Amino acid sequence: MFFIPGLSAQTPPRGQDLFDHVKDLLVRVKAADSISSPKSSYGTGFVVDKSGIIATNYHVISDYVMQPGNQWKIIVETQDLKNIEAELIGLSVVDDLALIRINQSFPGALPFENKTSFKGEKSYSLGLPNDINMSLIEGVYNGVLNHGPYSLVHVTTPLNGGMSGGPTVNSAGKLIGINVARILFANDISFIVPVERLLTLVKKTDFKGLP
């Protein structure tokens, strides 16, 4: 279970504490024609099962999916700078989610929040903005938007390209959504896929274990 030693329910978390507890569960994900080649597309991923199961966005690895039998590979770069080819094991195009697996274990997995956040609650999005370095950005949770089969959470957070597929967590460090999109030319209007959609994909994917 994720917790931050020395913090009470009344004490706001330090961003550094949240980042330190999550950073080893974050990875860089790219689609490329070899482990060493430049990326075709890139984004962020995070560990949902310590056996090596990683969640990201479908659009991060869509070149691999859309061109079967071609040269594309899914490559994961871990925090210790290892580049490992990944296997696609689960996909939801509607929710823009993908589950991939690498042959490496992790010390843990990011826990899922099972309670609904409230409007105005602080959120913390993690990822690789513009492929610069792994970052944590504070924002505000503003509720779920449902349109037919689509469901997104509106967050007031300055997400940038490269953060796609990264996690957004609450003050307890639990996953509340997956970074997916922002409105161009707007002031910090961004969207995350609700954690419930990822949980649905995890449960129907062929591997044992839940976060």
Side-chain angles (χ1 to χ4, degrees), residues 65-120:
V65 177
M66 296 297 290
Q67 301 181 63
N70 206 310
Q71 75 271 24
W72 298 113
K73 302 179 186 301
I74 303 171
I75 309 298
V76 168
E77 181 181 282
T78 61
Q79 288 297 306
D80 56 2
L81 302 182
K82 290 181 182 177
N83 283 282
I84 305 170
E85 186 174 347
E87 170 193 9
L88 178 64
I89 62 170
L91 190 64
S92 172
V93 176
V94 169
D95 293 317
D96 200 352
L97 294 174
L99 288 173
I100 57 179
R101 174 166 46 205
I102 63 172
N103 186 24
Q104 176 171 308
S105 60
F106 290 85
L110 197 60
F112 289 18
E113 180 57 85
N114 56 19
K115 296 182 295 185
T116 302
S117 300
F118 56 84
K119 276 200 173 188

Side-chain angles (χ1 to χ4, degrees), residues 1 7 19 47 49 83 119 123 143 154 178 208 210:
M1 181 176 179
L7 292 184
F19 184 77
V47 180
D49 187 88
N83 283 282
K119 276 200 173 188
S123 60
H154 169 209
I178 302 87
K208 295 180 179 179
L210 284 173

Side-chain angles (χ1 to χ4, degrees), residues 9 33 44 63 82 86 109 115 127 129 142-143 152 169 174 177 197 207:
D33 59 9
T44 305
D63 283 341
K82 290 181 182 177
K115 296 182 295 185
N142 279 300
L152 293 171
V169 302
K174 292 185 177 181
R197 295 298 181 104
F207 76 92

Side-chain angles (χ1 to χ4, degrees), residues 92-96 144-153 192-194 197:
S92 172
V93 176
V94 169
D95 293 317
D96 200 352
V144 179
L145 308 173
N146 292 306
H147 298 284
Y150 304 101
S151 182
L152 293 171
V153 175
I192 61 177
V193 181
R197 295 298 181 104

Side-chain angles (χ1 to χ4, degrees), residues 17 19 28 33 36 40 60 87 93 98 110-111 121 124 127 131 147 154-156 161 164 174 179 186 193-194:
D17 293 328
F19 184 77
R28 180 176 181 261
D33 59 9
S36 59
S40 164
V60 171
E87 170 193 9
V93 176
L110 197 60
E121 184 175 349
Y124 303 86
D131 210 16
H147 298 284
H154 169 209
V155 288
T156 306
S164 291
K174 292 185 177 181
N179 308 334
V193 181

Side-chain angles (χ1 to χ4, degrees), residues 4-75:
I4 301 175
L7 292 184
S8 69
Q10 289 74 40
T11 304
R14 290 176 59 237
Q16 184 67 54
D17 293 328
L18 281 169
F19 184 77
D20 286 346
H21 280 76
V22 175
K23 65 180 181 181
D24 290 338
L25 305 178
L26 303 175
V27 299
R28 180 176 181 261
V29 181
K30 69 176 181 178
D33 59 9
S34 72
I35 285 180
S36 59
S37 69
K39 71 261 183 184
S40 164
S41 60
Y42 74 94
T44 305
F46 59 95
V47 180
V48 296
D49 187 88
K50 63 182 182 180
S51 65
I53 310 300
I54 292 164
T56 188
N57 284 147
Y58 161 71
H59 74 256
V60 171
I61 51 94
S62 60
D63 283 341
Y64 171 86
V65 177
M66 296 297 290
Q67 301 181 63
N70 206 310
Q71 75 271 24
W72 298 113
K73 302 179 186 301
I74 303 171
I75 309 298

